[in-house]
Amino acid sequence: MKSVVDILNDRISAAMVRVTGRQDCAAIVRSATDPRFGDYQANGVMALAKQIKTNPRKLAEEVVAQLDLSDICEPPEVAGPGFINLRLRPEYVARELLRITSDKDRLGMEKGSEPQTIVVDFSSPNVAKQMHVGHLRSTIIGDCIWRLLEFQGHTVVRQNHIGDWGTQFGMLIRYMYQGAKVSHMHGATTVFSVVDLSDMEEFYREAKRLFDADPQFAEESRRYVVKLQSGDRTALDDWRLICDTSLSECQTIYDRLGVQLTRDDVRGESFYNDKLPTVVADLKKAGLATESNGAVCVFPPGFKTKEGEPLPFIIQKSDGAYLYATTDLAALRYRVNVLQAGRIVYVTDARQIQHFQMLFKVAEMAGWNQRDGKAVGLVHVTFGSVLGEDGRPLKTRSGENVKLKDLLDEAVERARAVVQEKNPDLPPEQKAKIAEAVGVGAVKYADYSNNRTSDYVFSYDKMLAMDGNTAPYMQYAYARVKSIERKAESRGVSIQDDLRDLQNLDLSEPTELDLGKHLVRYAEAIESAAADYRPNYLTSYLYELAQKFSAFYTECPVLDAPPDKRPTRLLLCDLTARTIKHGLSQLLGIQVVEQM
Ligand code: ARG
C-alpha cells in the first residue's frame, strides 16, 4: 500500500543517495507542521548533513536539484536549517481522486507487498470472572488492530487467550451442586444443577463468598480441583459447561460491539495445559531455568526487584503448579511453530508491561522467538484505564465493576433521547436501530479516539455530544452527505451519470482543494494507525475529514453549483461519504446510519 508519503520518502531518499553516495539515507517525510508552508516536509537532510559534516542548507539545495517530483508536487522549497517543504499539485490531487473513486472496495489502496502472518491476542477475559471495562478496551482495540492489519493484506489470526483454567474452577464446580435437585453420580454425564448459570458474574461472586465463609465448601472445592486436574470426566464436563455458558455471554457482547471474535478464535489457557511440563523441562535442559526457594524460575537479565535483586520469571511453583507465565511461553511457541506467526501482537492493559517484557526476553534467551533463522516480531500493545468522572477506575455507585452489558444499555438508552430530539417523526423501529448504532458506536468511538496509552474519563454526555470528535458527530456527518445525495436524486440528478465520464476535476476553490487533499491522504492515516497500533490516528483523520467537508459545504453549493462545477463537488461528497463509511464500519466496526 503506497501512500503519498511513501512515494515522497522513496524519491527524496533516492536523491539523497545520489548526492552523497551513502546508502543509509532517510528522507523522513512528515505532515507539514505549518500548512502555510506546504503539505509535507522532509526532515532527513539535517541529520544526514551532521553525519557527513556538511552544511545542511547547502545539502538540501543539492538534493532538491537532483529531485524530480513535478508529477506530484509544486517545486520543493528549502527552508530554515534544511527542511524541504512540499506542496501537492492540484492536478495530482485531481488525478488521485479520480483513481480512488473508481475503486469501489478499497478506495484505491493496494495491499502491502510484504504480507505476514500476524497473531493478534486480544479480549482474553477470564471465564466466570467479571468481564470488566479493561476487557472492553482489549476487545475493541484488538478488533480494530486486526481489521487494520487485515486490510493491509496480512493474514491475521485472532486468538482469544481466555483464562479458563485454574483453581477457581474447583469452587465453581462445587457451587454448581448447591441446591441441586439431582445428586451427583460419579461417572455419569453432567448433572445439571438448579444453579442459574446465566449470570456468570453473580455465580462467581456467590461461589467465592461460600468458599471464604464455609470450610466444608472450601474443602470440597479443593477436591474438585484435584479431580479436574487428574482428568476426571465428570469434573471436565462440568468445567466445560461453565466455560460454554460464560463464553456465550461474551459472544453476545462481541456481536453487539461488532467485534469479529467467534468461538473458533478461542484458544484459552486450558489448551496449553499438556504443553506446560515441556516448557519447564526445555528451559531446564537449556540451563536457563533454575530452582529458587523450591520454585522453578528464569532470571532474565536486566530485571530487578525493588531491592535490586534479580527478578524471577516464575514458571513452576514449589507445589508443582504452573503459572500464567508458563502458559504464555507455551502459547508463544505454539503461535510461532504451529500458527507460523511472523509477528505476535498482545493487547492488554499497561499493568502487564513487565510480564510481557520478561516473556519476550525469556523467549529470546531460549531462541523460541526464531523460525527459519528469522526473529518473530513480539509486540505488546498496552492501554490505560477507564476512569469514572471522579477520576478513579470506573465503578458503579455501589462500588462494583461495571458490567459491559449495563454500560452499553445505558449508552443506547441515552442515544434514544438524542435520536428522538433530532428526528421525532421516524418510525419507532428505525429509531431503535439508530439508537443502538449511536449508543454502541459512541462507547467504542470514545475509547478509540483517546490515545490508547492514557487513561480516559468515561462520560456519556461527552461521548454522545453532537459536536466534537464523537461517534454521533461522525455518524451525523455521514448521514448529512447522504442526504445531499438523496436530494440530488429527488431533483433528478444522477451522481453516477455526473461522475461516469469525468476526466478532470476543477479544484479551484480553496476548500475544494483542501478537502480533496485530505481525501487523498486516507491511506496515510491507515498506515500510521496500523504501524503504531493506534486507532486514534484514524479517528482524528475522520474527524478532520468531517470538518473539512463542513468548510467545503458552507463555501460551495453542490446541487445549485454551475453545471461545470457540479461533478467535482458531487465527487467530493460521494468520496467523503465512502471514506467515512469505510473508516467507521470497516476499520472501527462502528455502524453508520443513512439518516439520523
Ligand atoms: N486473561 C488475562 C487477563 O484478563 C489476559 C490475557 C492476555 N493474553 C496473554 N497471552 N497473556 O488479564
Side-chain angles (χ1 to χ4, degrees), residues 51-351:
Q51 268 174 35
I52 59 174
K53 300 196 176 58
T54 181
N55 179 313
R57 250 199 101 94
K58 207 176 124 261
L59 182 61
E61 267 148 22
E62 283 166 18
V63 170
V64 166
Q66 280 286 320
L67 201 56
D68 181 11
L69 296 175
S70 56
D71 52 335
I72 303 178
C73 296
E74 309 284 3
E77 281 166 17
V78 176
F83 298 106
I84 301 174
N85 288 338
L86 306 156
R87 190 187 301 274
L88 298 178
R89 293 177 52 174
E91 298 80 358
Y92 171 77
V93 176
R95 242 187 301 126
E96 277 295 288
L97 290 172
L98 287 167
R99 185 180 69 79
I100 294 171
T101 216
S102 66
D103 180 354
K104 287 274 161 287
D105 299 326
R106 298 187 53 91
L107 293 166
M109 292 173 280
E110 292 152 28
K111 294 191 174 181
S113 53
E114 286 161 33
Q116 269 185 321
T117 297
I118 305 178
V119 167
V120 185
D121 172 328
F122 68 107
S123 192
S124 308
N126 297 321
V127 166
K129 283 199 200 160
Q130 304 226 12
M131 187 165 174
H132 54 76
V133 263
H135 292 119
L136 166 75
R137 299 209 77 186
S138 174
T139 303
I140 65 174
I141 294 171
D143 189 61
C144 175
I145 288 173
W146 95 257
R147 284 168 182 266
L148 285 165
L149 296 172
E150 173 106 339
F151 183 69
Q152 286 188 316
H154 299 291
T155 302
V156 194
V157 184
R158 299 180 293 258
Q159 292 282 281
N160 195 353
H161 189 87
I162 60 168
D164 60 354
W165 198 247
T167 49
Q168 77 271 26
F169 286 94
M171 71 185 188
L172 289 167
I173 295 174
R174 170 62 190 83
Y175 183 70
M176 281 172 74
Y177 298 102
Q178 194 75 3
K181 295 251 163 55
V182 206
S183 67
H184 182 244
M185 282 168 31
H186 190 78
T189 45
T190 303
V191 181
F192 285 83
S193 75
V194 294
V195 171
D196 182 11
L197 298 186
S198 71
D199 190 338
M200 269 294 158
E201 293 177 15
E202 206 42 59
F203 181 52
Y204 181 80
R205 223 173 300 140
E206 230 354 70
K208 179 88 175 73
R209 193 186 64 76
L210 281 170
F211 185 88
D212 293 337
D214 177 353
Q216 198 190 336
F217 182 96
E219 182 45 40
E220 286 168 20
S221 299
R222 279 189 207 101
R223 247 181 293 167
Y224 277 113
V225 177
V226 176
K227 273 190 174 180
L228 194 58
Q229 282 173 344
S230 59
D232 177 89
R233 267 274 302 285
T234 321
L236 280 173
D237 283 344
D238 294 337
W239 163 77
R240 214 161 282 129
L241 179 65
I242 294 171
C243 291
D244 276 351
T245 311
S246 187
L247 275 172
S248 45
E249 271 185 60
C250 289
Q251 195 60 47
T252 315
I253 293 185
Y254 295 153
D255 294 345
R256 196 170 178 196
L257 284 171
V259 162
Q260 308 268 323
L261 281 170
T262 68
R263 283 299 259 272
D264 293 344
D265 305 316
V266 172
R267 203 165 263 121
E269 294 184 7
S270 64
F271 175 80
Y272 302 102
N273 206 23
D274 60 353
K275 302 169 181 67
L276 305 180
T278 334
V279 166
V280 175
D282 288 354
L283 287 174
K284 276 185 175 165
K285 223 186 295 157
L288 294 171
T290 46
E291 244 162 74
S292 168
N293 297 327
V296 185
C297 312
V298 182
F299 290 92
F303 294 90
K304 296 259 178 309
T305 64
K306 273 194 228 85
E307 291 74 36
E309 299 294 319
L311 185 68
F313 195 57
I314 308 175
I315 52 176
Q316 192 171 22
K317 289 202 284 193
S318 52
D319 63 2
Y322 300 105
L323 296 99
Y324 187 55
T326 331
T327 308
D328 254 328
L329 281 165
L332 187 144
R333 290 177 103 178
Y334 177 81
R335 291 165 184 183
V336 172
N337 300 319
V338 181
L339 300 180
Q340 300 272 305
R343 196 191 320 172
I344 311 176
V345 181
Y346 299 82
V347 187
T348 85
D349 70 69
R351 284 171 305 183

Side-chain angles (χ1 to χ4, degrees), residues 28-48:
I28 316 182
V29 176
R30 298 270 183 272
S31 276
T33 41
D34 185 337
R36 278 178 305 172
F37 302 130
D39 301 310
Y40 300 94
Q41 60 190 49
N43 300 340
V45 167
M46 272 100 65
L48 182 63

